[in-house]
Amino acid sequence: MMHKHLSIILLLLISLCFIHSLPDDSLLSYFYGSEIITPVTDKIPKPIPLSCVNQQKSWITATILSLVLGGFGADRFYLGFISNGFLKLILGCLVLSFTCLRCCFSFSIDASTLNGKRKVTWLFFNGSVVFISFLQFALWLMDFILIMGNLIRDSNQCPMTYN
């Protein structure tokens, strides 16, 4: 019993030493985010709008959707950006179908035997697949970084919640 009280007291002392070793701004930033009250700015953190109460999207769900199905726009659909999600869905389906076509025809086509016009068509098709794949990857990476950093709000301009 005495060891239990002693360990609790020791834990409190260590946490107090850690908290007192932090500058005041970093402690406020930890609890209130990047918009903290400082003597220089005298800014007060903005409260959540009343329209966002019980309407916030989950950051965890958005992150998992972006990681797993972000190439098909699931993260954008979840956050309420339907047109952006539809664009990413079309790009994802194009990349998937073009990649399957490219793989199927690559085994049956010998590029050295193609004549000039067919060779140009084949090179244009492969270049298009690479370009659309890069575009989809760039959109996915941009959305993933925005969601991971909680730098994006949903379509109602509500911030995401961490639960």
Side-chain angles (χ1 to χ4, degrees):
M1 191 67 154
M2 183 66 157
H3 293 296
K4 185 177 179 180
H5 293 299
L6 187 60
S7 63
I8 291 173
I9 291 171
L10 185 62
L11 184 64
L12 284 172
L13 285 174
I14 290 172
S15 63
L16 284 175
C17 291
F18 175 72
I19 288 174
H20 284 296
S21 68
L22 292 174
D24 291 337
D25 288 345
S26 65
L27 189 62
L28 283 173
S29 176
Y30 177 76
F31 286 111
Y32 293 108
S34 60
E35 294 184 5
I36 57 173
I37 303 169
T38 62
V40 177
T41 61
D42 292 329
K43 277 183 24 180
I44 298 174
K46 295 179 183 176
I48 296 173
L50 289 176
S51 62
C52 295
V53 176
N54 296 328
Q55 301 295 322
Q56 292 177 285
K57 305 286 185 180
S58 171
W59 175 82
I60 296 170
T61 305
T63 302
I64 292 172
L65 282 173
S66 181
L67 183 64
V68 177
L69 295 171
F72 294 101
D75 52 351
R76 288 295 184 154
F77 282 121
Y78 175 71
L79 291 175
F81 299 107
I82 304 300
S83 59
N84 291 348
F86 192 66
L87 174 71
K88 283 177 70 176
L89 178 65
I90 290 173
L91 279 176
C93 291
L94 278 175
V95 166
L96 187 64
S97 61
F98 282 175
T99 304
C100 290
L101 282 174
R102 185 175 163 210
C103 290
C104 292
F105 288 125
S106 292
F107 293 121
S108 64
I109 293 178
D110 184 14
S112 62
T113 61
L114 293 176
N115 62 8
K117 189 175 182 180
R118 286 190 175 187
K119 190 177 272 188
V120 169
T121 304
W122 181 245
L123 288 174
F124 178 75
F125 176 72
N126 284 328
S128 299
V129 170
V130 169
F131 177 74
I132 293 172
S133 299
F134 177 74
L135 183 64
Q136 183 203 21
F137 177 74
L139 286 173
W140 170 79
L141 187 63
M142 179 186 67
D143 283 347
F144 186 68
I145 290 171
L146 287 174
I147 289 173
M148 282 295 292
N150 204 2
L151 301 172
I152 191 169
R153 294 174 176 248
D154 66 2
S155 61
N156 298 325
Q157 295 301 316
C158 297
M160 288 187 281
T161 180
Y162 287 107
N163 54 7

